[in-house]
mmCIF file of all heavy atoms in Angstrom:
data_model
loop_
_atom_site.group_PDB
_atom_site.id
_atom_site.type_symbol
_atom_site.label_atom_id
_atom_site.label_comp_id
_atom_site.label_asym_id
_atom_site.label_seq_id
_atom_site.Cartn_x
_atom_site.Cartn_y
_atom_site.Cartn_z
ATOM 1 N N THR A 98 71.946 40.427 -62.263
ATOM 2 C CA THR A 98 70.805 41.306 -62.075
ATOM 3 C C THR A 98 69.591 40.645 -62.703
ATOM 4 O O THR A 98 69.671 40.117 -63.813
ATOM 5 C CB THR A 98 71.048 42.676 -62.742
ATOM 6 O OG1 THR A 98 72.254 43.228 -62.225
ATOM 7 C CG2 THR A 98 69.906 43.630 -62.478
ATOM 8 N N LEU A 99 68.488 40.666 -61.985
ATOM 9 C CA LEU A 99 67.250 40.082 -62.492
ATOM 10 C C LEU A 99 66.184 41.167 -62.526
ATOM 11 O O LEU A 99 66.056 41.940 -61.569
ATOM 12 C CB LEU A 99 66.784 38.931 -61.599
ATOM 13 C CG LEU A 99 67.730 37.733 -61.530
ATOM 14 C CD1 LEU A 99 68.718 37.885 -60.407
ATOM 15 C CD2 LEU A 99 66.943 36.460 -61.380
ATOM 16 N N GLU A 100 65.440 41.222 -63.611
ATOM 17 C CA GLU A 100 64.354 42.181 -63.752
ATOM 18 C C GLU A 100 63.143 41.447 -64.304
ATOM 19 O O GLU A 100 63.275 40.645 -65.228
ATOM 20 C CB GLU A 100 64.722 43.299 -64.725
ATOM 21 C CG GLU A 100 65.875 44.166 -64.257
ATOM 22 C CD GLU A 100 66.230 45.230 -65.293
ATOM 23 O OE1 GLU A 100 65.338 46.018 -65.643
ATOM 24 O OE2 GLU A 100 67.381 45.236 -65.738
ATOM 25 N N ALA A 101 61.977 41.718 -63.739
ATOM 26 C CA ALA A 101 60.735 41.138 -64.243
ATOM 27 C C ALA A 101 59.807 42.270 -64.652
ATOM 28 O O ALA A 101 59.710 43.290 -63.968
ATOM 29 C CB ALA A 101 60.076 40.271 -63.178
ATOM 30 N N GLU A 102 59.154 42.069 -65.776
ATOM 31 C CA GLU A 102 58.146 43.005 -66.268
ATOM 32 C C GLU A 102 56.901 42.203 -66.577
ATOM 33 O O GLU A 102 56.986 41.080 -67.074
ATOM 34 C CB GLU A 102 58.592 43.675 -67.567
ATOM 35 C CG GLU A 102 59.804 44.542 -67.471
ATOM 36 C CD GLU A 102 60.183 45.125 -68.823
ATOM 37 O OE1 GLU A 102 59.970 44.454 -69.862
ATOM 38 O OE2 GLU A 102 60.697 46.243 -68.825
ATOM 39 N N GLY A 103 55.756 42.797 -66.310
ATOM 40 C CA GLY A 103 54.496 42.141 -66.624
ATOM 41 C C GLY A 103 53.532 43.121 -67.252
ATOM 42 O O GLY A 103 53.464 44.277 -66.841
ATOM 43 N N ASP A 104 52.809 42.652 -68.267
ATOM 44 C CA ASP A 104 51.847 43.495 -68.972
ATOM 45 C C ASP A 104 50.436 43.125 -68.549
ATOM 46 O O ASP A 104 50.065 41.949 -68.565
ATOM 47 C CB ASP A 104 51.973 43.289 -70.486
ATOM 48 C CG ASP A 104 53.374 43.566 -70.991
ATOM 49 O OD1 ASP A 104 54.024 44.485 -70.463
ATOM 50 O OD2 ASP A 104 53.826 42.857 -71.918
ATOM 51 N N LEU A 105 49.668 44.133 -68.188
ATOM 52 C CA LEU A 105 48.268 43.912 -67.870
ATOM 53 C C LEU A 105 47.433 45.088 -68.332
ATOM 54 O O LEU A 105 47.957 46.148 -68.652
ATOM 55 C CB LEU A 105 48.060 43.623 -66.381
ATOM 56 C CG LEU A 105 48.711 44.523 -65.332
ATOM 57 C CD1 LEU A 105 47.886 45.746 -65.059
ATOM 58 C CD2 LEU A 105 48.888 43.735 -64.063
ATOM 59 N N ASP A 106 46.140 44.886 -68.395
ATOM 60 C CA ASP A 106 45.180 45.885 -68.844
ATOM 61 C C ASP A 106 44.247 46.175 -67.678
ATOM 62 O O ASP A 106 43.438 45.315 -67.309
ATOM 63 C CB ASP A 106 44.413 45.344 -70.055
ATOM 64 C CG ASP A 106 43.444 46.339 -70.667
ATOM 65 O OD1 ASP A 106 43.071 47.321 -69.994
ATOM 66 O OD2 ASP A 106 43.043 46.114 -71.820
ATOM 67 N N PHE A 107 44.368 47.349 -67.095
ATOM 68 C CA PHE A 107 43.567 47.686 -65.909
ATOM 69 C C PHE A 107 42.072 47.749 -66.192
ATOM 70 O O PHE A 107 41.266 47.724 -65.273
ATOM 71 C CB PHE A 107 44.040 48.992 -65.282
ATOM 72 C CG PHE A 107 45.292 48.867 -64.462
ATOM 73 C CD1 PHE A 107 46.235 49.874 -64.471
ATOM 74 C CD2 PHE A 107 45.532 47.762 -63.678
ATOM 75 C CE1 PHE A 107 47.395 49.777 -63.711
ATOM 76 C CE2 PHE A 107 46.684 47.642 -62.916
ATOM 77 C CZ PHE A 107 47.615 48.654 -62.931
ATOM 78 N N ARG A 108 41.672 47.800 -67.451
ATOM 79 C CA ARG A 108 40.238 47.784 -67.744
ATOM 80 C C ARG A 108 39.607 46.492 -67.234
ATOM 81 O O ARG A 108 38.442 46.488 -66.833
ATOM 82 C CB ARG A 108 39.985 47.933 -69.243
ATOM 83 C CG ARG A 108 40.394 49.287 -69.801
ATOM 84 C CD ARG A 108 40.201 49.349 -71.297
ATOM 85 N NE ARG A 108 40.919 48.242 -71.940
ATOM 86 C CZ ARG A 108 40.528 47.654 -73.062
ATOM 87 N NH1 ARG A 108 39.450 48.068 -73.698
ATOM 88 N NH2 ARG A 108 41.239 46.666 -73.575
ATOM 89 N N GLY A 109 40.370 45.401 -67.225
ATOM 90 C CA GLY A 109 39.838 44.125 -66.753
ATOM 91 C C GLY A 109 39.513 44.154 -65.278
ATOM 92 O O GLY A 109 38.394 43.831 -64.866
ATOM 93 N N THR A 110 40.466 44.547 -64.452
ATOM 94 C CA THR A 110 40.247 44.539 -63.007
ATOM 95 C C THR A 110 39.273 45.627 -62.565
ATOM 96 O O THR A 110 38.646 45.513 -61.515
ATOM 97 C CB THR A 110 41.581 44.637 -62.235
ATOM 98 O OG1 THR A 110 41.352 44.308 -60.870
ATOM 99 C CG2 THR A 110 42.196 46.017 -62.329
ATOM 100 N N LEU A 111 39.115 46.674 -63.363
ATOM 101 C CA LEU A 111 38.147 47.727 -63.042
ATOM 102 C C LEU A 111 36.760 47.424 -63.610
ATOM 103 O O LEU A 111 35.832 48.209 -63.412
ATOM 104 C CB LEU A 111 38.642 49.086 -63.559
ATOM 105 C CG LEU A 111 39.851 49.661 -62.813
ATOM 106 C CD1 LEU A 111 40.362 50.913 -63.518
ATOM 107 C CD2 LEU A 111 39.515 49.945 -61.361
ATOM 108 N N GLY A 112 36.611 46.294 -64.281
ATOM 109 C CA GLY A 112 35.310 45.902 -64.808
ATOM 110 C C GLY A 112 34.810 46.786 -65.935
ATOM 111 O O GLY A 112 33.603 46.921 -66.126
ATOM 112 N N LEU A 113 35.720 47.373 -66.699
ATOM 113 C CA LEU A 113 35.319 48.293 -67.759
ATOM 114 C C LEU A 113 35.103 47.625 -69.102
ATOM 115 O O LEU A 113 34.387 48.159 -69.953
ATOM 116 C CB LEU A 113 36.384 49.388 -67.929
ATOM 117 C CG LEU A 113 36.540 50.339 -66.756
ATOM 118 C CD1 LEU A 113 37.677 51.309 -67.024
ATOM 119 C CD2 LEU A 113 35.246 51.078 -66.503
ATOM 120 N N ALA A 114 35.742 46.492 -69.319
ATOM 121 C CA ALA A 114 35.629 45.811 -70.607
ATOM 122 C C ALA A 114 35.663 44.304 -70.369
ATOM 123 O O ALA A 114 36.657 43.787 -69.871
ATOM 124 C CB ALA A 114 36.777 46.238 -71.531
ATOM 125 N N LYS A 115 34.584 43.634 -70.729
ATOM 126 C CA LYS A 115 34.521 42.186 -70.509
ATOM 127 C C LYS A 115 35.573 41.432 -71.314
ATOM 128 O O LYS A 115 35.973 40.340 -70.944
ATOM 129 C CB LYS A 115 33.132 41.665 -70.846
ATOM 130 C CG LYS A 115 32.079 42.134 -69.866
ATOM 131 C CD LYS A 115 30.744 41.478 -70.153
ATOM 132 C CE LYS A 115 29.670 42.125 -69.316
ATOM 133 N NZ LYS A 115 29.326 41.439 -68.137
ATOM 134 N N ASP A 116 36.035 42.032 -72.415
ATOM 135 C CA ASP A 116 37.055 41.372 -73.225
ATOM 136 C C ASP A 116 38.466 41.650 -72.727
ATOM 137 O O ASP A 116 39.426 41.067 -73.226
ATOM 138 C CB ASP A 116 36.916 41.774 -74.693
ATOM 139 C CG ASP A 116 37.161 43.260 -74.926
ATOM 140 O OD1 ASP A 116 36.882 44.066 -74.012
ATOM 141 O OD2 ASP A 116 37.630 43.610 -76.023
ATOM 142 N N ALA A 117 38.600 42.539 -71.746
ATOM 143 C CA ALA A 117 39.926 42.825 -71.176
ATOM 144 C C ALA A 117 40.169 41.848 -70.027
ATOM 145 O O ALA A 117 39.460 41.872 -69.026
ATOM 146 C CB ALA A 117 40.000 44.264 -70.680
ATOM 147 N N PRO A 118 41.155 40.975 -70.160
ATOM 148 C CA PRO A 118 41.405 39.983 -69.107
ATOM 149 C C PRO A 118 41.897 40.638 -67.817
ATOM 150 O O PRO A 118 42.494 41.707 -67.831
ATOM 151 C CB PRO A 118 42.473 39.079 -69.703
ATOM 152 C CG PRO A 118 43.071 39.840 -70.823
ATOM 153 C CD PRO A 118 42.088 40.869 -71.263
ATOM 154 N N VAL A 119 41.613 39.980 -66.721
ATOM 155 C CA VAL A 119 42.122 40.398 -65.422
ATOM 156 C C VAL A 119 43.431 39.650 -65.193
ATOM 157 O O VAL A 119 43.480 38.435 -65.334
ATOM 158 C CB VAL A 119 41.113 40.072 -64.291
ATOM 159 C CG1 VAL A 119 41.694 40.439 -62.937
ATOM 160 C CG2 VAL A 119 39.790 40.778 -64.544
ATOM 161 N N GLY A 120 44.474 40.354 -64.868
ATOM 162 C CA GLY A 120 45.757 39.711 -64.588
ATOM 163 C C GLY A 120 46.780 39.942 -65.684
ATOM 164 O O GLY A 120 46.489 40.531 -66.724
ATOM 165 N N PHE A 121 47.978 39.477 -65.403
ATOM 166 C CA PHE A 121 49.078 39.635 -66.345
ATOM 167 C C PHE A 121 48.842 38.805 -67.602
ATOM 168 O O PHE A 121 48.445 37.647 -67.520
ATOM 169 C CB PHE A 121 50.405 39.203 -65.711
ATOM 170 C CG PHE A 121 50.921 40.155 -64.674
ATOM 171 C CD1 PHE A 121 50.833 39.864 -63.326
ATOM 172 C CD2 PHE A 121 51.505 41.357 -65.053
ATOM 173 C CE1 PHE A 121 51.307 40.746 -62.370
ATOM 174 C CE2 PHE A 121 51.982 42.248 -64.109
ATOM 175 C CZ PHE A 121 51.885 41.937 -62.764
#
Side-chain angles (χ1 to χ4, degrees):
T98 304
L99 297 90
E100 295 178 58
E102 296 178 327
D104 303 324
L105 48 84
D106 184 341
F107 282 143
R108 294 177 305 149
T110 194
L111 290 173
L113 294 177
K115 291 186 189 262
D116 64 330
V119 177
F121 288 105

